[in-house]
Amino acid sequence: MQEPLPAAPRRWPEEGHTRVPSWIYTDPALYRRELDTFFHGPTWNYVGLGCEVPEPGDFKRHWIGERSVVMVRDRGGEVVVLENRCAHRGSPVVWEERGHAKDFTCRYHQWCYSLQGDLVGLPLRRGALGQGGMPADFDPRQHGLTRLRAVTRNGVVWASCSPQAPGFEAYCDTLLPAIDRLFDGRPLRLLGYQRQMLRCNWKMYMENLKDPYHATLLHTFYITFGLWRADNRSRMETGGGGMHGVMVSENTGRRTTAATAQLGRFGHDLTLADMSLVTPIPEFADGRIAGGTLHPSAVIQQQANSLAIRHVIPRGTGATELVWVFFGYADDSEEMTLRRVRHANLVGPAGLVSIDDSEVLRQCQAAAEGYPERVGVIEMGGRDTEPADHMVTENQIRGFYRYYRKAMGL
Amino acid sequence: MPPANHPIATARAALRAELRDFYDAYFACLEDQDLERWPGFFTDDALYLVQSAENHGLGLPVGDVFCDSAAMRRDRAAALRTTSVFEPRRLRHFAGTLRLRDDAGDGVIRAEAGYLAVECLVGDAPALFSAGRSIDEIVRGADGLRFRSRRVVYDHTHVRNSLVFPL
């Protein structure tokens, strides 16, 4: 559907952050500004896990927004993040998803870079048979692979495209405890990836993770087996001026309370032949579930014993690549590892919980494209953006759009 | 290669034909979305795993679907039938190359079968949904062939939105 050229600049509904205009999911010019303002701007983005590149020379390719980047463990053992773009004419230097190399040589003209991105070789620099070659004053030090600000914190690699981003800890703000709780310094063990191409705008996906209200109504498995439901004690708040979301709750198992009657999708007759699918082995001393969203690209997941970082990669106004990186700890028992693998059945593209989200979001995106001038209403829990000690609220979504309007000048 | 009418070649041809029938019956069940009958294609303790070639190549255990018992398969079928929310779709399966591994003499038929699945959603053009191969161990019981292990390893890196029905 062609987006008609707007007659005037976009104007947010006058009610402010309790309203979400649908054109934010469909406007291509806005999308490009979001890439510059957020993913390629002064933010911190998920790149990978250190255990994906265990040895010097190991590398893995990934994305920040629409930019291809490479994370590589250099000779000194440090993880470096480089733009995957030859300084010469822009060809991607790394064409494989992962591998091991002693240097990076661009296929096109064989410019050769060290693992740290320094330009160390360039065939025919001095010409051939006395003809051609680079100018005498060509300085290779000015033409390396751009190196991003990167931080490895307890085994997770984050990078920023901008020197203007605050330090990583300050950036994470109220979400830092949840990040440090899952990534507490114990060596990690990569368990695998799930990847899907969602058919919705990246913000629509992130909102879904700032929306405990839907989870307690839509996801029968969560409600019925107590993994996430409105009558569990919880706290929902934002961070970083509204851009992040922090969610803490508890798992109480299957139970009915006075609230159950309103949880229409509670499966009174739902029993499982194998209850291990929904039964966590207790592993965190505080007995809680904690996670959230680190703007713009990461979701911190603790669902039963399934631990993951979900990485959000925008692919145009109507598509989002979602990469689920599942991990455990190197000292997990075999029983725990198997339990984590079982619980991965709940999430991802085939997830018995997550399918609901993928499907609903595709429908919502299609509706936004048909009705770009319509407006969503987010008043559950009130009209403010203050923390809430319950999950019957859209406060995190309101907080995000209050931040978004400021950042985007809307 | 033995001549076509040699007993070994004849037996191999008969086995390939029997396997083709088995895969056809399995795909027909999936295409009918007859989830209640789906677990019946497996032995009780069979492993059913759907994962990317990426995970398979790295030896990583996580799959999009992991069921190591009839109970887990029945639970998944029941969940899809009664609790999952998804728009209606049809999938059509096309069998690809069938590679029969040499007989190890243990009564297990080992095969690798290429496949293609095409998904049709209302209003969309038909979409290539998944392509890959299954790495299967099949055993013969009183009531016919069953998977004792089925690993569906897909070649693409990501799933088109959601993987609802088994492959």
Side-chain angles (χ1 to χ4, degrees):
Chain A
M1 188 61 72
Q2 280 293 329
E3 181 82 6
L5 290 171
R10 297 288 195 191
R11 281 181 50 211
W12 202 273
E14 60 186 32
E15 293 91 336
H17 60 244
T18 58
R19 298 293 185 271
V20 183
S22 291
W23 40 257
I24 66 165
Y25 307 118
T26 63
D27 185 325
L30 214 56
Y31 170 78
R32 296 236 62 91
R33 277 214 294 130
E34 288 171 352
L35 289 178
D36 291 338
T37 306
F38 303 132
F39 298 90
H40 309 156
T43 59
W44 285 93
N45 293 269
Y46 173 76
V47 179
L49 301 180
C51 62
E52 294 177 293
V53 288
E55 302 298 327
D58 287 346
F59 66 85
K60 186 171 182 305
R61 189 176 61 172
H62 217 2
W63 298 92
I64 294 178
E66 290 192 357
R67 294 183 180 174
S68 177
V69 299
V70 181
M71 97 174 156
V72 53
R73 193 169 295 274
D74 71 14
R75 299 212 182 289
E78 194 194 335
V79 177
V80 167
V81 179
L82 304 167
E83 282 189 1
N84 186 17
R85 185 194 171 278
C86 184
H88 176 212
R89 301 262 296 282
S91 169
V93 175
V94 172
W95 289 20
E96 309 89 352
E97 189 67 2
R98 55 176 52 78
H100 183 88
K102 50 178 179 40
D103 52 52
F104 295 123
T105 301
C106 182
R107 282 163 177 76
Y108 202 178
H109 305 84
Q110 281 109 59
W111 285 32
C112 179
Y113 303 90
S114 73
L115 297 180
Q116 303 215 332
D118 302 313
L119 179 60
V120 296
L122 193 168
L124 302 178
R125 180 177 175 190
R126 314 259 176 243
L129 303 177
Q131 295 182 304
M134 299 296 277
D137 62 356
F138 177 79
D139 181 4
R141 289 170 302 183
Q142 305 297 320
H143 301 280
L145 299 179
T146 301
R147 187 167 160 166
L148 276 66
R149 270 174 86 191
V151 118
T152 299
R153 185 183 177 91
N154 292 331
V156 186
V157 181
W158 307 88
S160 180
C161 294
S162 168
Q164 260 72 60
F168 180 72
E169 285 190 18
Y171 182 78
C172 291
D173 190 33
T174 52
L175 189 57
L176 191 65
I179 295 174
D180 285 348
R181 181 171 171 275
L182 287 194
F183 305 106
D184 63 359
R186 279 183 287 164
L188 303 175
R189 184 184 157 192
L190 177 68
L191 295 180
Y193 308 91
Q194 292 176 0
R195 300 171 185 266
Q196 61 191 127
M197 190 64 78
L198 296 172
R199 301 177 73 180
C200 68
N201 184 269
W202 69 276
K203 299 185 299 297
M204 207 179 266
Y205 183 73
M206 287 301 242
E207 285 171 33
N208 182 260
L209 272 301
K210 298 176 192 284
D211 179 0
Y213 163 36
H214 92 278
T216 192
L217 292 171
L218 175 61
H219 298 315
T220 303
F221 267 62
Y222 280 172
I223 308 157
T224 306
F225 301 110
L227 295 168
W228 190 267
R229 48 186 275 173
D231 46 1
N232 289 352
R233 268 187 321 216
S234 51
R235 181 170 173 85
M236 307 286 136
E237 62 180 319
T238 63
M243 59 175 141
H244 310 313
V246 187
M247 303 193 285
V248 182
S249 188
E250 59 186 8
N251 176 352
T252 52
R254 186 191 200 118
R255 66 201 186 107
T256 57
T257 69
T260 308
Q262 288 201 70
L263 305 179
R265 288 174 57 78
F266 180 91
H268 291 279
D269 300 321
L270 180 63
T271 56
L272 296 180
D274 184 348
M275 284 292 289
S276 68
L277 177 64
V278 293
T279 308
I281 297 171
E283 67 171 308
F284 291 94
D286 59 16
R288 292 207 180 109
I289 303 160
T293 47
L294 190 79
H295 175 72
S297 73
V299 177
I300 310 299
Q301 169 193 312
Q302 176 199 351
Q303 247 331 315
N305 294 119
S306 178
L307 310 179
I309 286 198
R310 306 180 201 175
H311 184 205
V312 170
I313 304 164
R315 292 288 186 210
T317 55
T320 301
E321 185 175 340
L322 185 62
V323 181
W324 306 63
V325 183
F326 293 90
F327 67 92
Y329 303 103
D331 59 3
D332 281 343
S333 66
E334 274 190 39
E335 186 199 7
M336 177 60 90
T337 297
L338 180 58
R339 190 61 59 99
R340 299 196 198 285
V341 169
R342 284 190 200 294
H343 291 168
N345 276 296
L346 296 171
V347 291
L352 297 176
V353 169
S354 298
I355 283 174
D356 304 341
D357 292 324
S358 309
E359 291 288 305
V360 161
L361 295 176
R362 156 164 156 72
Q363 297 294 317
C364 288
Q365 180 70 25
E369 283 164 13
Y371 294 99
E373 298 301 324
R374 296 294 173 86
V375 172
V377 176
I378 41 173
E379 295 189 354
M380 175 54 81
R383 299 194 173 101
D384 60 58
T385 61
E386 294 304 301
D389 282 335
H390 59 85
M391 60 167 89
V392 195
T393 178
E394 292 169 311
N395 63 341
Q396 290 177 74
I397 307 177
R398 288 190 291 273
F400 177 75
Y401 284 111
R402 197 179 65 167
Y403 157 78
Y404 177 86
R405 295 185 64 202
K406 275 197 213 119
M408 295 289 290
L410 287 166
Chain B
M1 269 308 265
N5 59 353
H6 190 283
I8 290 174
T10 309
R12 197 172 174 84
L15 179 57
R16 287 182 66 90
E18 190 183 2
L19 282 175
R20 284 290 191 195
D21 284 348
F22 175 64
Y23 282 117
D24 279 355
Y26 180 76
F27 288 145
C29 175
L30 297 179
E31 290 175 357
D32 289 348
Q33 298 178 4
D34 196 346
L35 292 168
E36 284 69 30
R37 261 203 320 124
W38 172 66
F41 284 87
F42 299 81
T43 61
D44 279 354
D45 58 0
L47 170 70
Y48 174 70
L49 176 68
V50 179
Q51 66 175 185
S52 61
E54 177 183 31
N55 282 357
H56 178 75
L58 293 169
L60 298 173
V62 156
D64 300 294
V65 182
F66 172 90
C67 299
D68 62 356
S69 67
M72 287 195 79
R73 276 182 283 279
R74 286 200 301 272
D75 287 339
R76 176 165 278 272
L80 291 172
R81 178 71 76 209
T82 65
T83 71
S84 295
V85 168
F86 54 88
E87 68 173 294
R89 67 204 58 206
R90 289 219 160 272
L91 281 106
R92 216 39 81 179
H93 299 261
F94 299 90
T97 53
L98 176 61
R99 302 184 212 199
L100 211 48
R101 299 285 171 220
D102 287 339
D103 185 0
D106 60 355
V108 178
I109 302 162
R110 289 174 176 80
E112 272 192 35
Y115 75 90
L116 175 69
V118 175
E119 178 181 72
C120 293
L121 301 171
V122 173
D124 260 10
L128 297 180
F129 178 74
S130 182
R133 71 199 195 276
S134 60
I135 303 170
D136 299 322
E137 294 179 3
I138 297 162
V139 292
R140 197 181 290 287
D143 53 352
L145 299 178
R146 287 183 185 236
F147 295 111
R148 87 157 187 188
S149 174
R150 177 170 171 80
R151 294 167 187 261
V152 178
V153 179
Y154 54 83
D155 297 333
H156 40 100
T157 41
H158 41 259
V159 171
R160 182 179 194 256
N161 206 44
S162 28
L163 171 61
V164 175
F165 294 101
L167 290 171

